[in-house]
Amino acid sequence: MAASTTEDYDVCLDDYKYIFNPSLLKGKVAFITGGGSGICFTIAEILMRHKCDTVILSRKLERVNKSSRRLEEATGQRCLPLQLDVRKPQDVLTAVDKALSHFGRIDIVVNGAAGNFLCPAESMSFNAFKTVIEIDTIGTFNISKAVYDKYMKHHGGVIINISATLAYRGQMLQAHAGPAKAAIDALTKHLAVEWGHQGIRVVSLSPGPIEKTEGIRRLGGELEEARVTSIPLQRFGTKKEIAEGVVYLASPAANFVTGTVLVIDGGSWLTGTNDFSLAKPLLELMSKM
Ligand code: COA
Ligand code: NAP
């Protein structure tokens, strides 16, 4: 886990054993924010391995371009890389237009773009709090609303919001990300209620600590790894396990599932502790990154 960057983790799986039918998502198109890296890169890969085409989007065009080439090569499906900042409505509207003119449809949205860092509330600037709320919560609304207006309200679809369990009990150094993700889970319920009659399902997927990701690196995975025994299933999760949760939620097996949260965390939120003795070493570790 002692990585100074997670860039090298964004590679496709060497060997993939299917659980679901390999053609499960044939003919579908998924629009995945944050799809150039980490968990959402693997979500794109596994959806594509089930014959879905994808659009992957984030701020760094070079990264989504490179990831898209890797994904197409590994899966034989099409992947359109696009640049956007989910905080900017004009970027979002333009990206949805480009995706629709390229593929003609968007069946699945994965709202995965997020920002996070460890910070005590007492030293968090007003702008630091606002920035995380803007990327996570407002970004999720912006994308959902634009895809709804331009496509899903007439065709239906599924929106999968990637949240987190931080706010279930409160967690130190996360006073920005906890509320941002809790608001996403609330938005999931509201949109599910309003848009269900148009054939749109809206669900949250809430991962626990996932190995080989930027999220775990930023939240001090290196230190927390020693404490893995506190997780009921005794390990961090894998990106593949989250991606397979997305395949389920996007598939007909979940046709009656909406307005709820699927937690995939090995039970960690039930037992995870707020160990205040770790706060200082965690912040020191982060300051060296
Ligand atoms: N501790 C405390 N405050 C921090 C911080 C940290 N580690 N990193 C950023 N901030 C503050 C900045 O100081 C700034 O506040 P200020 O204007 O009052 O000084 C505010 O947050 C915005 O920072 P900025 O760097 O301008 O934002 P950005 O929009 O360029 O980047 C971040 C957004 C900060 C979330 C950045 O970390 C990012 O791009 N993250 C994406 C990847 C990621 O977080 N992955 C994990 C997902 S779980
Ligand atoms: P990651 O690789 O850093 O993913 C975050 C992605 O969001 C990046 O691709 C980033 O790309 C993009 N992004 C950030 N700000 C953006 C913006 N303003 N506009 C557009 N794109 C933006 O981290 P990860 O760990 O895989 O996390 C993926 C998701 O899982 C996040 O929602 C995270 O909160 C959630 N999660 C992760 C864990 C974990 O253990 N890792 C646990 C719980 C929840 P650019 O920098 O190119 O924009």
Side-chain angles (χ1 to χ4, degrees):
M1 184 58 60
S4 57
T5 169
T6 47
E7 190 99 342
D8 291 342
Y9 291 151
D10 299 325
V11 288
C12 295
L13 301 164
D14 287 335
D15 178 33
Y16 183 70
K17 291 194 176 52
Y18 284 90
I19 295 170
F20 302 100
N21 182 328
S23 298
L24 192 62
L25 301 174
K26 191 168 184 187
K28 305 279 185 195
V29 173
F31 185 98
I32 306 169
T33 68
S37 69
I39 292 172
C40 293
F41 174 86
T42 303
I43 290 173
E45 177 187 346
I46 305 291
L47 291 180
M48 289 169 77
R49 286 186 186 277
H50 290 85
K51 303 232 179 326
C52 188
D53 290 323
T54 58
V55 186
I56 59 170
L57 314 94
S58 81
R59 294 165 301 175
K60 298 188 192 94
L61 185 60
E62 203 185 316
R63 173 148 80 173
V64 283
N65 280 340
K66 188 166 145 194
S67 294
S68 135
R69 284 193 296 272
R70 285 181 176 175
L71 289 164
E72 287 192 341
E73 204 172 297
T75 67
Q77 292 293 128
R78 295 176 295 166
C79 175
L80 174 69
L82 293 176
Q83 182 172 36
L84 97 170
D85 186 327
V86 293
R87 293 169 286 191
K88 298 182 180 160
Q90 195 50 56
D91 279 17
V92 170
L93 294 168
T94 304
V96 174
D97 283 340
K98 282 185 182 166
L100 287 172
S101 73
H102 192 83
F103 284 124
R105 59 192 299 150
I106 298 174
D107 306 280
I108 302 158
V109 167
V110 178
N111 279 306
N116 201 359
F117 43 81
L118 292 173
C119 186
E122 72 171 350
S123 53
M124 192 179 295
S125 73
F126 294 121
N127 192 38
F129 184 86
K130 181 174 164 228
T131 297
V132 171
I133 299 286
E134 279 183 344
I135 300 172
D136 294 23
T137 313
I138 297 178
T140 295
F141 177 77
N142 290 345
I143 297 284
S144 305
K145 165 84 173 136
V147 175
Y148 171 83
D149 281 344
K150 289 176 182 286
Y151 189 78
M152 282 190 181
K153 76 172 161 189
H154 299 301
H155 302 89
V158 56
I159 299 173
I160 300 169
N161 298 324
I162 307 299
S163 63
T165 59
L166 305 167
Y168 293 2
R169 301 193 313 164
Q171 187 164 319
M172 66 177 185
L173 313 176
Q174 291 286 272
H176 47 349
K181 295 296 197 181
I184 289 175
D185 287 344
L187 183 64
T188 289
K189 295 192 186 82
H190 287 274
L191 298 184
V193 166
E194 289 199 20
W195 295 348
H197 73 105
Q198 287 160 309
I200 301 169
R201 294 186 296 111
V202 189
V203 282
S204 285
L205 190 163
S206 187
I210 303 303
E211 66 176 16
K212 299 181 180 173
T213 60
E214 181 65 15
I216 203 75
R217 188 179 79 93
R218 283 175 177 243
L219 302 191
E222 219 170 304
L223 281 180
E224 293 289 343
E225 206 173 25
R227 296 154 43 75
V228 88
T229 48
S230 74
I231 300 174
L233 292 186
Q234 302 287 289
R235 63 177 176 86
F236 287 164
T238 65
K239 290 177 277 192
K240 182 165 86 69
E241 286 166 333
I242 302 305
E244 280 166 346
V246 170
V247 174
Y248 160 68
L249 290 172
S251 79
N255 268 354
F256 206 50
V257 178
T258 196
T260 191
V261 183
L262 174 60
V263 178
I264 303 183
D265 77 334
S268 67
W269 83 266
L270 297 166
T271 53
T273 53
N274 275 303
D275 184 347
F276 295 107
S277 69
L278 274 183
K280 199 160 164 252
L282 277 170
L283 289 168
E284 277 168 9
L285 180 71
M286 292 307 114
S287 68
K288 290 186 198 126
M289 279 184 176

